[in-house]
């Protein structure tokens, strides 16, 4: 049984991969220049012609594309094909205003199925393994992305979507899937419901979790692996690029293999736009090398990662690896001059005995000072302890956060199941500041 879905590509000599990427990039710039008015005028504005791009080394000459560009061209102005060639349309829900629309031709859907099949095999999936797919089906790309990968790779898929959680547990008991796909936060909620039903999640058949769509720390991974008794692996993607299936961890849990033959990665300093060095944190920028309906050049994901070009010591894949997403440039809180990513706080919290993996960060402005309040659940035993014990825990948590972030925070310990559970992406920040 191969650990690869497309061995020739996944273990390709890095120089050959670069040649392939260069060839694809040259074709892409011609394609977008002739088909997307948006890119034609952007290229013209800075005086770039498709013939100026001869290899991926020239990618720096090309302009960036941002989420605002997609919004301003709502809904279909960025399409490179006519609507009659579009097979499927998705949209990612923005917090405000209109959603971001993305579209796929039949070839794009085929590509999506292929990269998702690669991802499932990369996670350790074997043909015939049942996938319990708890990502939401609909405009969100999670559900259908996994679905297409399962169809392409030969994995029987249970398209259960999110919600009706107790029924999901029953189906897992009866169908005995080997693979669970859903957001990491929803997997915790599922485990809680299982326990309420008297079912030990560790006794269920699941061996692999393919979790993504939201940031989750290494401590969260440990927690999930302990609760479920499975291997929890990280999957990354975004609707604008294709959906899930842009990058995937192997069981070595040492970075996510980015499918760079289709999605060319760069990591930049978000302030200057310059490349950062290998291993340094920066914003991930992706160029879709082979998409038809809505190809994007140098799309600024706003996700903070680092990149590693060495061969994976665990699985031998030569594709570059990105780190777990450390946060989003737009999720970074700046509290009294200190930069804070929710995942940093998560990492600290979950290492502390008695703390549950459910928390929110409340940001408020008192006078002219920003205040951060960490609201976190603690387990029943702690809650029934004496006040002195609770105070001791409070001091400990505050001290740990302070030592990592160098920032004083307020803390509110709450009872189990106080914080709202999520079926999809968890909402970690409640910003009460008036802008
Ligand atoms: O979340 C696609 C997806 C579905 C990925 C299922 C993985 C699994 P969007 O709704 O467009 O697409 O949101 C994309 O979610 O820019 C990241 O900020 C975040 N994100 C996605 N995967 C991860 C991850 C899907 N593994 C946005 N870790 C991205 C951290 C992630 N953040």
């Amino acid at each position: 049984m191969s650990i690869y879905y497309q061995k020739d590509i996944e273990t390709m000599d890095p120089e050959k991969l670069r040649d392939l990427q260069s060839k694809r990039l040259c074709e892409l710039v011609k394609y977008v220049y002739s088909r997307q008015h948006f890119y034609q005028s952007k290229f013209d504005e800075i005086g770039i012609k498709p013939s100026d791009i001869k290899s991926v080394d020239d990618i720096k000459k090309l302009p960036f594309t941002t989420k605002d560009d997609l919004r301003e061209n709502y809904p279909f102005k960025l399409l490179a094909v006519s609507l009659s060639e579009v097979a499927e349309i998705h949209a990612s829900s923005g917090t405000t205003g209109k959603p971001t629309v993305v579209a796929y031709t039949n070839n794009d859907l085929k590509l999506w199925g292929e990269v998702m099949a690669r991802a499932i095999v990369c996670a350790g999936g074997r043909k015939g393994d049942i996938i319990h797919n708890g990502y939401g089906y609909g405009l969100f790309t999670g559900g259908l992305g996994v679905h297409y990968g399962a169809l392409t790779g030969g994995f029987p898929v249970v398209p259960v979507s999110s919600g009706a959680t107790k029924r999901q547990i029953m189906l897992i008991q009866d169908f005995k899937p080997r693979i669970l796909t859903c957001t990491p936060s929803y997997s915790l909620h599922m485990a809680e419901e299982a326990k309420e039903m008297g079912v030990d999640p560790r006794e269920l058949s699941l061996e692999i979790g393919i979790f993504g769509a939201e940031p989750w720390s290494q401590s969260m991974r440990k927690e999930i692996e302990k609760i479920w008794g499975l291997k929890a692996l990280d999957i990354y993607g975004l609707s604008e690029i294709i959906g899930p299936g842009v990058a995937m961890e192997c069981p070595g849990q040492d970075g996510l293999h980015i499918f760079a033959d289709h999605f060319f990665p760069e990591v930049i300093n978000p302030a200057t736009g310059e490349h950062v060095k290998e291993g340094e944190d920066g914003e991930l920028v992706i160029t879709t090398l082979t998409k038809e309906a809505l190809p994007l050049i140098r799309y600024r994901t706003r996700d903070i990662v680092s990149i590693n070009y060495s061969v994976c010591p665990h699985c031998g894949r030569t594709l570059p690896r990105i780190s777990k997403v450390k946060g989003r440039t737009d999720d970074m809180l700046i509290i009294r001059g200190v930069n804070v990513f929710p995942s940093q706080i998560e990492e600290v919290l979950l290492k502390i005995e008695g703390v549950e993996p459910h928390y929110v960060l409340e940001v408020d402005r008192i006078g002219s000072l920003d205040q951060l309040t960490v609201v976190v659940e603690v387990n029943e035993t702690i809650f029934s302890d004496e006040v002195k014990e609770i105070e001791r825990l409070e001091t400990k948590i505050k001290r740990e956060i302070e030592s990592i972030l160098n920032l004083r925070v307020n803390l509110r310990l709450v009872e189990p199941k106080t914080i709202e559970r999520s079926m999809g992406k968890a909402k970690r920040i409640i910003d009460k500041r008036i802008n």
Side-chain angles (χ1 to χ4, degrees):
M1 185 71 66
S2 175
I3 59 162
Y4 309 109
Y5 183 66
Q6 288 162 316
K7 183 166 189 235
D8 48 337
I9 291 164
E10 294 172 62
T11 60
M12 189 179 243
D13 174 69
E15 244 171 66
K16 283 207 180 114
L17 174 65
R18 228 173 152 74
D19 290 345
L20 176 68
Q21 291 167 325
S22 291
K23 185 172 149 266
R24 288 182 169 171
L25 181 67
C26 294
E27 283 162 16
L28 173 75
V29 284
K30 278 186 224 136
Y31 183 88
V32 302
Y33 191 77
S34 63
R35 285 169 175 258
Q36 282 159 295
H37 175 71
F38 168 78
Y39 281 121
Q40 194 183 51
S41 45
K42 267 202 154 189
F43 284 20
D44 287 349
E45 240 168 64
I46 53 171
I48 275 275
K49 287 197 189 56
S51 57
D52 294 329
I53 306 300
K54 301 203 164 57
S55 79
V56 284
D57 295 331
D58 294 323
I59 201 161
K60 285 188 263 179
K61 298 179 185 165
L62 295 171
F64 292 118
T65 310
T66 64
K67 203 175 183 86
D68 284 343
D69 293 325
L70 291 177
R71 287 214 185 94
E72 282 157 21
N73 288 284
Y74 179 85
F76 300 135
K77 280 195 276 227
L78 263 182
L79 288 191
V81 297
S82 67
L83 276 172
S84 61
E85 292 165 273
V86 169
E88 192 165 313
I89 296 168
H90 281 261
S92 71
S93 52
T95 35
T96 50
K98 300 277 193 196
T100 308
V101 175
V102 294
Y104 305 75
T105 62
N106 276 316
N107 280 337
D108 293 335
L109 292 180
K110 214 170 129 220
L111 166 67
W112 199 8
E114 187 182 298
V115 287
M116 266 311 305
R118 264 193 215 175
I120 298 165
V121 173
C122 180
R126 300 180 299 236
K127 230 178 164 65
D129 285 345
I130 297 181
I131 298 181
H132 181 97
N133 187 13
Y135 284 115
Y137 279 64
L139 289 178
F140 173 55
T141 51
L144 280 165
V146 169
H147 193 93
Y148 294 142
L151 297 186
T152 307
F155 304 95
V157 59
V158 186
V160 62
S161 195
S162 53
T165 310
K166 289 210 163 70
R167 195 174 57 134
Q168 301 222 11
I169 302 300
M170 182 194 79
L171 294 177
I172 292 174
Q173 282 179 301
D174 297 346
F175 295 176
K176 303 193 173 24
R178 182 164 177 254
I179 303 175
L180 172 64
T181 54
C182 63
T183 59
S185 54
Y186 189 46
S187 82
L188 287 174
H189 181 47
M190 279 170 84
E192 262 180 355
E193 296 274 297
K195 285 183 190 158
E196 262 181 26
M197 293 162 71
V199 176
D200 177 358
R202 301 182 61 90
E203 299 296 313
L204 295 169
S205 55
L206 294 163
E207 290 175 19
I208 300 170
I210 301 183
F211 302 128
E214 63 184 6
W216 52 307
S217 60
Q218 298 291 359
S219 315
M220 182 68 91
R221 186 209 303 271
K222 285 210 188 93
E223 191 73 27
I224 293 175
E225 291 193 328
K226 194 173 78 196
I227 294 173
W228 277 102
L230 51 63
K231 189 122 197 151
L233 299 173
D234 196 356
I235 183 164
Y236 171 79
L238 61 166
S239 320
E240 297 90 314
I241 299 304
I242 199 146
V246 173
M248 179 73 221
E249 266 181 345
C250 70
Q253 298 178 325
D254 195 5
L256 289 79
H257 301 274
I258 180 159
F259 301 138
D261 52 324
H262 295 293
F263 313 119
F264 185 78
E266 298 170 79
V267 181
I268 63 160
N269 174 330
T272 63
E274 296 295 319
H275 286 165
V276 299
K277 291 205 195 83
E278 181 173 354
E280 271 177 24
D281 285 353
E283 179 181 349
L284 179 65
V285 169
I286 302 177
T287 300
T288 63
L289 295 174
T290 51
K291 265 175 65 191
E292 290 181 346
L294 188 57
L296 293 177
I297 303 263
R298 306 192 82 195
Y299 184 69
R300 299 200 43 170
T301 65
R302 303 188 190 180
D303 294 317
I304 306 290
V305 301
S306 60
I307 196 160
N308 178 345
Y309 290 96
S310 67
V311 179
C312 178
H314 309 281
C315 70
R317 282 181 179 78
T318 50
L319 298 168
R321 281 170 286 155
I322 55 169
S323 64
K324 263 175 122 29
V325 173
K326 296 174 185 173
R328 286 179 59 79
T329 50
D330 46 4
D331 253 9
M332 188 178 74
L333 298 167
I334 305 178
I335 309 289
R336 300 195 296 280
V338 180
N339 298 347
V340 182
F341 283 116
S343 58
Q344 288 174 293
I345 295 185
E346 179 181 299
E347 186 79 46
V348 176
L349 286 178
L350 300 197
K351 281 192 184 136
I352 299 170
E353 185 70 35
V355 170
E356 296 283 300
H358 303 283
Y359 70 96
V360 286
L361 307 179
E362 288 179 0
V363 192
D364 207 350
R365 186 166 292 156
I366 315 281
S368 59
L369 271 193
D370 286 338
Q371 302 278 346
L372 177 63
T373 306
V374 177
V375 186
V376 62
E377 290 182 11
V378 289
N379 67 27
E380 300 276 5
T381 341
I382 305 269
F383 232 86
S384 51
D385 274 346
E386 283 176 29
V387 176
K388 238 182 16 209
E389 279 306 309
I390 298 180
E391 278 173 1
R392 195 170 299 157
L393 181 64
E394 272 179 352
T395 315
K396 184 174 166 138
I397 297 176
K398 276 189 175 179
R399 210 180 38 228
E400 300 268 324
I401 295 179
E402 211 177 306
S403 73
I404 299 281
L405 297 178
N406 211 358
L407 176 76
R408 273 188 182 282
V409 297
N410 304 320
L411 181 68
R412 204 157 73 236
L413 302 185
V414 294
E415 281 182 70
K417 308 216 175 121
T418 312
I419 291 168
E420 199 186 328
R421 300 298 187 249
S422 113
M423 311 272 186
K425 294 175 192 263
K427 188 169 163 39
R428 301 290 187 200
I429 300 174
I430 301 174
D431 200 336
K432 297 174 166 172
R433 288 176 294 192
I434 310 145
N435 288 315

